Amino acid sequence: MARAVNKMEAGGTAYLVAALAKALREQQELSQEDLGKKIGYTGSAVSAMETCAQPASDQMLVRLEEVLGSGLGVFERAREFIRLDRYPPQFKDFALLEQRALTLQTYAMVVIHGLFQTEAYARALIGGGYPPLPMRRVDELVEARLARRVLFDRDPPALIELVLDESTLRRIVGSQEIMREQLLHLAKCAERRNVTLQVMPMMRGLRGDHAGLHGEITLLETPDHHHLVYLQPQEESLLISDPAKVTTYTHRYAKIRAQALGPDESLGLIEQLAGEQR
């Protein structure tokens, strides 16, 4: 039953990869068992990939490129589009923009931003949501979320800014150990030269104003220097390009950043909270 669902949900890229892999396998006169041995999988796993009963994983695509790719890079190129197929429909357009962004500026106030999540945190968050998801879908979403990290090491590097509401650091997701690992990962991310991480204090409202109370926001600059705003309320998706609206959100984000703790003070708070999770 699960494999029948996989076939129905598989995207066009998965079917293209399956057809190409089968054609190249047969061209080289390899059985499914033969190919499986070469790439480190069983023959039944190769069969499932070729029928999209279990579409190729990211690691399988790497091995297919090495064994069948002939230097063309087709399976390597397919990795990006397979990942896009696994994202929720409302996130796919933004995911492609995110990977090509020159600058990415985000204020997050519910959970740690997806780019900065550890595998354990992402799995606890996705697996613990409602309505509950099948484990296969949880695995796909976790893998797709972690794949977004390539943005950190892209050449040329993207400028990434993240302002986290302090509540995201104190909200336990999964377990104290998972949260401690997540906080330490944040601290490590903050050491990157292309990353600026700040924390908005929970007590900010005592000062009389709090620019972040309207909710989460992401600002993005494209390679063509277009400026966009991305909002994701209740798993819906809204991409804003109207210049007047973008300007309003840009000013709001600037105020949020100004009201947050500085990078050094923010890092100190994150490390302090990590120590408290022992």
Side-chain angles (χ1 to χ4, degrees):
M1 180 64 180
R3 295 197 164 197
V5 172
N6 290 352
K7 290 181 181 181
M8 290 188 293
E9 293 182 350
T13 305
Y15 277 99
L16 180 60
V17 164
L20 182 60
K22 182 178 181 180
L24 292 173
R25 173 179 65 77
E26 292 176 344
Q27 185 182 65
Q28 296 184 28
E29 299 182 346
L30 296 171
S31 68
Q32 292 177 339
E33 289 289 340
D34 292 336
L35 178 58
K37 289 178 182 178
K38 286 178 175 289
I39 65 175
Y41 289 83
T42 63
S44 60
V46 172
S47 174
M49 177 271 295
E50 291 184 351
T51 61
C52 285
Q54 184 59 57
S57 66
D58 193 65
Q59 186 56 44
M60 182 182 278
L61 287 169
V62 172
R63 295 295 294 135
L64 286 171
E65 179 63 37
E66 294 171 355
V67 174
L68 295 179
S70 302
L72 297 176
V74 288
F75 294 107
E76 176 64 29
R77 188 74 180 96
R79 292 173 67 192
E80 177 182 3
F81 296 103
I82 287 285
R83 288 196 296 265
L84 285 173
D85 281 345
R86 288 174 177 156
Y87 289 126
Q90 72 273 11
F91 186 73
K92 287 182 180 180
D93 289 343
F94 178 76
L96 197 56
L97 288 169
E98 181 184 71
Q99 290 305 301
R100 289 165 170 70
L102 295 181
T103 62
L104 193 70
Q105 301 167 299
T106 299
Y107 171 58
M109 61 183 303
V110 180
V111 296
I112 305 299
H113 187 268
L115 267 178
F116 291 79
Q117 291 176 9
T118 64
E119 179 176 356
Y121 183 97
R123 185 170 298 279
L125 188 66
I126 295 170
Y130 189 86
L133 298 173
M135 187 53 64
R136 173 193 59 82
R137 184 57 177 153
V138 172
D139 290 341
E140 287 181 350
L141 290 173
V142 170
E143 181 179 341
R145 183 162 297 180
L146 296 180
R148 293 165 61 191
R149 292 181 182 179
V150 297
L151 183 61
F152 285 115
D153 299 307
R154 194 195 64 196
D155 186 21
L159 176 64
I160 303 171
E161 294 182 359
L162 175 63
V163 180
L164 284 169
D165 191 89
E166 185 181 341
S167 62
T168 66
L169 307 177
R170 296 183 179 276
R171 181 173 294 112
I172 304 298
V173 173
S175 69
Q176 285 188 308
E177 182 55 36
I178 287 174
M179 203 62 209
R180 179 174 180 273
E181 178 188 294
Q182 175 62 71
L183 293 171
L184 291 175
H185 177 68
L186 277 175
K188 188 174 181 180
C189 289
E191 296 175 358
R192 292 176 174 269
R193 295 181 63 186
N194 62 323
V195 173
T196 301
L197 199 157
Q198 295 177 252
V199 176
M200 174 70 82
M202 289 178 63
M203 304 302 287
R204 172 66 210 184
L206 291 176
R207 302 289 297 273
D209 65 329
H210 190 318
L213 294 180
H214 289 277
E216 301 191 342
I217 179 176
T218 293
L219 308 177
L220 180 146
E221 181 184 5
T222 73
D224 298 325
H225 305 291
H226 294 142
H227 293 267
L228 304 170
V229 174
Y230 179 69
L231 306 176
Q232 196 176 15
Q234 287 291 320
E235 298 183 344
E236 295 299 326
S237 182
L238 183 61
L239 195 60
I240 299 171
S241 59
D242 178 79
K245 293 182 179 180
V246 169
T247 296
T248 297
Y249 284 111
T250 300
H251 290 170
R252 182 175 295 162
Y253 173 80
K255 190 66 172 178
I256 290 170
R257 183 174 55 188
Q259 291 178 345
L261 301 178
D264 292 342
E265 193 176 358
S266 297
L267 179 57
L269 176 58
I270 291 169
E271 291 174 336
Q272 173 192 327
L273 293 174
E276 294 175 2
Q277 296 298 330
R278 292 181 183 278

